[in-house]
Amino acid sequence: MLFSRDSRVLRHKDKNKFEINKEILLLLFIPYSKLTFLALSLSSLRTSGTAIMKYEELVSILSQARIGKYFRVAKGNKQRTLQLYHHNLKLSQRLFGVIGMFEIALRNAIHNHYSQQFNDKDWIVNSTAPGKLLAYDAKEIAEAQNEYIKKGIYSADKMVATFNFGFWTYLFTKNNYRIGGKTLLQIFPNKKKGLTQKDVYNDLCAIRELRNRIAHHEPICFDKSKNLSTQYVVKHYDLIKTYFTYMGYDANKLLKIVEKPDSVIKEIDKL
């Protein structure tokens, strides 16, 4: 299992205290490049080995500016503020797992497609010459390739796993789509009629935006007016499931591998 089972907010008779393992707070400052599924696990919020943290202590660690967003929605109620922050963390954990699954499925589909089209499993390193598909990324690709060769662990699969969501998203830009032979939409055999390269690019950018908000520990449970809302999350979650379907997967079965955000979304809607 990529994540531990659901963590829980523990109540305390002092409404301004919140039980939380302080180790989880260290995870909030891990650089984006080092984030992993396990790094977002909230298992350390459980009763075992927990410490009781006051609202003021949490503010001193995370800053008033960050906690203030939740404090305003909670109308000054400190316990509710802590609950809101916890729910946002839990929702982020669940969605990061879902997005991670989607990113892996997407990059593997692209890799398989171009490996067959170019008849070259090493198409990434062989597409960096001027005018070719990955010319813009030539330096980054060469650096990664050389590093793996030095360590004696180079493989095409290593190269595929090296690059982030943005790298794969940009293959759907108008220019890259053209250079790639205008065939990349074939990775979506079940796509809806009329879906275009531009549609896919815009949708992937929207999913990537959500991913980046989570990675930078921004709230995802508010609307544009800073009111408590799950509409933004539900919209993007549904979009991810739609693209799983486009790729030929049963989203519900596939996402059984990770903890889905459905129950957390319901919890937030009840607040």
Side-chain angles (χ1 to χ4, degrees), residues 174-192:
K174 184 177 181 179
N175 188 54
N176 285 337
Y177 184 69
R178 177 186 60 80
I179 296 173
K182 296 185 178 182
T183 63
L184 197 52
L185 291 187
Q186 291 176 16
I187 71 170
F188 303 117
N190 294 338
K191 65 181 181 297
K192 67 179 181 181

Side-chain angles (χ1 to χ4, degrees), residues 9-25:
V9 180
L10 303 174
R11 298 183 181 278
H12 190 269
K13 61 183 179 181
D14 183 341
K15 66 179 181 179
N16 293 330
K17 291 183 179 180
F18 181 68
E19 294 187 17
I20 181 171
N21 186 325
K22 295 184 181 180
E23 291 178 3
I24 190 64
L25 298 172

Side-chain angles (χ1 to χ4, degrees), residues 14-143:
D14 183 341
K15 66 179 181 179
N16 293 330
K17 291 183 179 180
F18 181 68
E19 294 187 17
I20 181 171
N21 186 325
K22 295 184 181 180
E23 291 178 3
I24 190 64
L25 298 172
L26 297 178
L27 298 178
L28 304 181
F29 302 99
I30 296 174
Y32 174 74
S33 62
K34 295 183 180 179
L35 279 174
T36 64
F37 297 147
L38 289 177
L40 283 178
S41 172
L42 297 180
S43 60
S44 54
L45 286 174
R46 293 184 178 181
T47 54
S48 177
T50 56
I52 298 177
M53 177 171 286
K54 291 184 178 181
Y55 169 84
E56 289 75 14
E57 291 177 311
L58 193 64
V59 170
S60 69
I61 295 172
L62 299 179
S63 83
Q64 183 62 55
R66 182 174 294 275
I67 298 301
K69 301 172 185 178
Y70 303 87
F71 189 75
R72 286 189 293 274
V73 171
K75 298 180 180 179
N77 184 303
K78 293 181 179 179
Q79 178 62 20
R80 182 173 167 81
T81 298
L82 295 168
Q83 290 175 338
L84 285 176
Y85 191 78
H86 168 75
H87 276 86
N88 189 78
L89 274 179
K90 190 160 61 169
L91 183 59
S92 296
Q93 170 221 347
R94 300 288 182 87
L95 281 169
F96 205 81
V98 171
I99 295 171
M101 286 292 296
F102 176 69
E103 182 176 348
I104 292 170
L106 179 69
R107 76 189 188 198
N108 286 344
I110 294 172
H111 174 57
N112 291 335
H113 174 78
Y114 278 141
S115 291
Q116 293 178 19
Q117 177 172 313
F118 299 138
N119 193 27
D120 182 6
K121 195 172 182 181
D122 260 330
W123 66 274
I124 292 178
V125 299
N126 293 326
S127 299
T128 58
K132 287 198 171 184
L133 180 59
L134 300 177
Y136 183 80
D137 302 292
K139 182 179 179 181
E140 183 181 1
I141 290 171
E143 288 175 351

